[in-house]
């Protein structure tokens, strides 16, 4: 029985996952590059701590008073919620394009449910913190 042929110009599932493997390889190489740079810096730098070197300063001025400052945490939560919804909207357009292509329906559907799971965890966190309630 003859094997089915793939039309010229069609993208196969192997090509699709090859793109992911290239991105994964680049991510691993990036992490290794940073790790090697930090390791080389640790091995090559001189270590001579003195009290003056360990003193915190700002713009060359010695610190006065306490080092603790109060910061409103709610601003970070607002930024977190913005990132969740911005990434969600950015991810939906390419997903819809790939989902419409032949042969990728099940794979992209699973990817979207994984993504929506992460989104749901973020929203659940915001709900538990009471951020979504009007005051």
């Amino acid at each position: 029985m003859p094997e089915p042929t793939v039309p010229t110009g069609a993208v196969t599932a192997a090509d699709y996952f090859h793109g992911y493997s290239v991105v994964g390889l680049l991510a691993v190489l990036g992490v290794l590059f940073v790790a090697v740079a930090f390791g080389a810096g640790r091995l090559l730098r001189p270590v001579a701590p003195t009290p003056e070197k360990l003193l915190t300063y700002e713009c060359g001025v010695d610190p006065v008073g306490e080092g603790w400052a109060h910061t409103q945490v709610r601003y970070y939560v607002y930024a977190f919620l913005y990132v969740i919804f911005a990434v969600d909207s950015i991810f939906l357009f390419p997903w819809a394009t790939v989902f419409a292509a032949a042969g990728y329906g099940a794979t992209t559907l699973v990817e979207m449910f994984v993504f929506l799971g992460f989104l749901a965890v973020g929203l659940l966190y915001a709900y538990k913190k009471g951020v979504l309630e009007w005051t």
Side-chain angles (χ1 to χ4, degrees), residues 18-30:
H18 175 70
Y20 278 119
S21 64
V22 170
V23 171
L25 179 64
L26 286 175
V28 168
L29 287 175

Side-chain angles (χ1 to χ4, degrees), residues 75-101:
Y75 297 122
Y76 295 110
V77 176
Y78 293 143
F80 178 67
L81 287 173
Y82 171 76
V83 168
I84 288 173
F85 288 110
V87 170
D88 180 35
S89 63
I90 289 171
F91 189 68
L92 283 175
F93 293 109
W95 175 80
T97 306
V98 172
F99 187 70

Side-chain angles (χ1 to χ4, degrees), residues 8-127:
T8 306
V11 181
T12 63
D15 294 333
Y16 182 73
F17 289 114
H18 175 70
Y20 278 119
S21 64
V22 170
V23 171
L25 179 64
L26 286 175
V28 168
L29 287 175
V31 169
L32 284 175
F33 181 76
V34 171
V36 167
F38 275 115
R42 180 172 274 246
L43 291 174
L44 297 175
R45 71 177 179 223
V47 180
T50 62
E52 290 82 18
K53 287 183 181 179
L54 298 176
L55 184 66
T56 304
Y57 68 94
E58 181 72 28
C59 299
V61 179
D62 290 336
V64 178
E66 286 188 39
W68 292 100
H70 295 285
T71 304
Q72 294 288 336
V73 175
R74 67 177 176 218
Y75 297 122
Y76 295 110
V77 176
Y78 293 143
F80 178 67
L81 287 173
Y82 171 76
V83 168
I84 288 173
F85 288 110
V87 170
D88 180 35
S89 63
I90 289 171
F91 189 68
L92 283 175
F93 293 109
W95 175 80
T97 306
V98 172
F99 187 70
Y104 294 117
T107 304
T108 54
L109 189 63
V110 168
E111 289 174 351
M112 181 50 74
F113 278 116
V114 168
F115 176 74
L116 290 175
F118 284 120
L119 180 67
V121 168
L123 288 174
L124 182 64
Y125 172 79
Y127 177 74

